[in-house]
Amino acid sequence: MLRNDNFLRALSKQPVTRIPLWLMRQAGRYLPEYCETRKRAGGFMTLCQSADLACEVTLQPLARYDLDAAILFSDILTVPDAMGLGLYFETGEGPRFQRPLREEQAINELFAPDPYDSLAYVLDATRVIRKALDNSVPLIGFSGSPYTLACYMVEGGSSKDFRHIKTMLYTRPDLLHRILTVTSQAVTAYLNAQIENGAQAVMLFDTWGGSLSNAAYQEFSLAYMRQIIAGLRRERDGEKIPVIVFTKGGGLWLESIAESGCDAVGLDWTVSLGDARRRVGGKVALQGNLDPNVLFAPPQTIALEAEKVLASYQTAGDDMTGLVFNLGHGISQFTPPEHVHALIEAVHGYPR
Amino acid sequence: MLRNDNFLRALSKQPVTRIPLWLMRQAGRYLPEYCETRKRAGGFMTLCQSADLACEVTLQPLARYDLDAAILFSDILTVPDAMGLGLYFETGEGPRFQRPLREEQAINELFAPDPYDSLAYVLDATRVIRKALDNSVPLIGFSGSPYTLACYMVEGGSSKDFRHIKTMLYTRPDLLHRILTVTSQAVTAYLNAQIENGAQAVMLFDTWGGSLSNAAYQEFSLAYMRQIIAGLRRERDGEKIPVIVFTKGGGLWLESIAESGCDAVGLDWTVSLGDARRRVGGKVALQGNLDPNVLFAPPQTIALEAEKVLASYQTAGDDMTGLVFNLGHGISQFTPPEHVHALIEAVHGYPR
């Protein structure tokens, strides 16, 4: 039995003893202890590939802060790496693939890897972390969305304009659909394996869906996330496994995301949380959505801005159920770690 | 008398003989003739600073394509440059400022330049271009929005996370308000001078307003654009001067942008044009909003995608009045110039 199940209760819109909170990228470079472990490991992928190191960094923010959930330490690009694209990191350049997917033949040869084979290291980490958490707070598993993964796979890395994948989308949509179909199968199996190995909720990170037109988003991003959600194991050991979908820049499409079959929708900071709550009308829980840059401000301002977000949510309903507090994007590596306390106190102490 | 006033008529929601179209960044690097002139000039800023060269490149896309408007060739950063920040271009790095605005003293010393003094070269270009157009199509003047200019001024160049300006926004909002107040005065005087010298419509480019939270957008971007619009000369020689506001990523805030006093709202491609038309309910005209990446597709696909955008607009009204067709962002430098013809034919020929 979980000692703090507020996160799972909020996702099911059940009463909570306090508003649950976690932070996207909470185990990350803003924490000196993370930087030390990473240095010791010799690189980011070594952290992901060692169950013990992944567990160590997953627990670091929980040791420091009173958080309501842990998230598996891993990277969204483990899946395309397992598909044979050759992930590597160029210093200061972000992730890259040795073999970007552009040729029809390579696309036809694409396969969905067995997560128990090439992604076993993630499942090992999941088990070790779940055990180490010892039922203190729930463990979140995650994957990139098929479209977001396809962006990296086709572009070969980060991109400003997504020229290659969009050229494919408009010129050879059949090829992109093939990539997305295989990737969806891969992600479904991957998330089910995370659930099988101890993840108590899962989240789809659709970091780049917001770069699409409304129509293209529906066809090339949301449709595949819907397919994944339909294929997920939603219960384990009698416990429900909730699913969160987060499309950065997807505020315009909130209603259709809420109808994807997910339990909760993650929101970036451009959306008013009150408007969002009115728009989904209790259909799903919401997760968000403070601008991570607020954490550069002094503690009183952080508390004030967090309370504004919470008050906005409150204007649109009778109580505070159905809300998981989070940032609207990953915490910045430049965040002063001591500033995070002010945020957590404001959220857990709400209303003052 | 303009021989083709469809652009101005659409902005006033009057009947048109065809749906008017122009392209953001239509005079740009995708055109070989532009690259040649730029090479001859020796650099981008030389193009902006020579009235004859600015005129030459402004007219290049009009010689090649049947466009319904010309836009002054210039850069949004001319204003902060005239404020003494020292604009320069690092190859492959985009624009930079020698003296980013971070210190209170420098911010207090900030002044709104007299456009007839330090920006006279833009006004010269405006007059020369207007004369060269010889009443064929209208000339659009433009400026960056105060918040977008402040992003460059405080960050010192482009930014991924806008860490410096957001730290200021949440830590010392008084300093940012001071920058925005002075910049708004500068932009108002600058646009009025462009109108005085021949611009027949003006557009505010709010490229970075979409990086703000809903509340911060209202306070730090839209409020200042509203102030500028209220200070603009809206008529010259008996002709109305329409104002277009374009906030990239601002689809969520469409209703409030439409109430800023502008005549038209520019839209990026994430917004469904039909939804947008329903939401503004005839209050303003709309300009947009094809994904520029569509222009990488073959001509038939370009025509089809343009027709989808047009059909979306049509579902939400009785006719096609109040629409200026454009891309949802500047045309990519990698666009094959011959592809633009398919777009123009589809728009001017609509409905088939």
Side-chain angles (χ1 to χ4, degrees), chain A residues 180-199:
Chain A
L180 294 168
T181 300
V182 177
T183 307
S184 297
Q185 291 160 358
V187 169
T188 306
Y190 182 53
L191 288 177
N192 276 333
Q194 290 182 26
I195 293 167
E196 186 60 47
N197 282 274

Side-chain angles (χ1 to χ4, degrees), chain B residues 194-243:
Chain B
Q194 289 182 27
I195 293 166
E196 185 62 46
N197 283 274
Q200 289 154 293
V202 291
M203 177 157 165
L204 280 168
F205 284 84
D206 187 25
T207 316
W208 298 123
S211 68
L212 291 168
S213 73
N214 172 59
Y217 175 71
Q218 301 290 334
E219 180 179 348
F220 294 93
S221 183
L222 189 57
Y224 290 95
M225 293 199 284
R226 192 181 293 120
Q227 203 171 297
I228 289 166
I229 294 167
L232 287 183
R233 181 171 173 175
R234 299 294 280 274
E235 208 198 273
R236 183 171 182 256
D237 301 338
E239 302 289 335
K240 194 183 156 202
I241 309 290
V243 182

